[in-house]
Amino acid sequence: MSYKVAAFYQFAALPDFVELREPLRTLCVRLKLKGSVLLAHEGINGTLAGDPGAIGDFIAELRDGVLFGGRLDRLELKFSRAAAMPFQRLKVRLKKEIITLGDADVDPTRQVGTYVEPADWNSLIDAPGVMVIDTRNAFEIALGTFEGAVDPGLKRFGEFKDFAARHLDPARHRRIAMFCTGGIRCEKASAYLLARGFAEVYHLKGGILRYLEGVPEANSRWRGECFVFDERIALGHGLRERSAGHDGDE
């Protein structure tokens, strides 16, 4: 049996996120889904795996069901496959942020950078004067990244603020293009930079996963594999699982 894996997030006002936890957990248990879901006042972020029909029912509930009442109508969503269940259990957790930056003034529901579709990404990062930044952690970047991208040397995403303060200048870095696994870190990072006076900030819509899914390998600027936070470890072009015997660690 193969499993369908859904990676999803949306920044949305969820003042009732505490009350949403148990109904959401109950739904996942009923559908026999495993993985991780984070809930916070700013939205939802998660990756779940299960039977394809169950995954479809879950996403339909998020988008159109009574639980969220239409608040997740712009869900960023990516699907992939797994030969074996990539999660051991189900976790539905409450957090201060669905992706931790540690700056309460940053609100991606008010302002984010310009989304760039995967089909247009190569042209942007090839353009003169564009600084390309990988906003993921250093161990993820070691497994794969885009040609010429800056590695900020982050151990955790919250360190991005320090990197920006030390190495980025709105007067010199007029055009910045950022990317991450699924897009969520870039939404926060772009909101942070725009609030600090950077003029043009772009980010890859749907992240590396969307790029690997849609851009032909022959045209790709990606090198290596994309780390994913489950037992598949990494995915390649076409969102294929890494081959058996390909060692790697976190």
Side-chain angles (χ1 to χ4, degrees), residues 129 131 133 163-176 192-201:
M131 183 181 192
I133 302 174
F163 164 77
R166 293 194 310 268
H167 301 288
L168 301 182
D169 180 353
R172 292 191 300 117
H173 303 113
R174 302 294 297 174
R175 304 182 74 199
I176 294 176
Y192 180 81
L193 292 184
L194 288 170
R196 278 145 187 82
F198 288 82
E200 294 184 47
V201 183

Side-chain angles (χ1 to χ4, degrees), residues 149-221:
V150 173
D151 176 1
L154 309 180
K155 293 181 180 178
R156 55 185 179 82
F157 179 62
E159 296 174 354
F160 180 81
K161 295 179 298 179
D162 296 331
F163 164 77
R166 293 194 310 268
H167 301 288
L168 301 182
D169 180 353
R172 292 191 300 117
H173 303 113
R174 302 294 297 174
R175 304 182 74 199
I176 294 176
M178 298 186 293
F179 63 92
C180 57
T181 306
I184 187 170
R185 282 176 273 195
C186 290
E187 293 219 28
K188 271 219 167 165
S190 69
Y192 180 81
L193 292 184
L194 288 170
R196 278 145 187 82
F198 288 82
E200 294 184 47
V201 183
Y202 303 88
H203 48 103
L204 178 58
K205 184 171 176 57
I208 301 161
L209 294 180
R210 182 83 70 195
Y211 182 92
L212 294 178
E213 180 182 34
V215 175
E217 188 168 358
N219 301 332
S220 177
R221 299 290 198 279

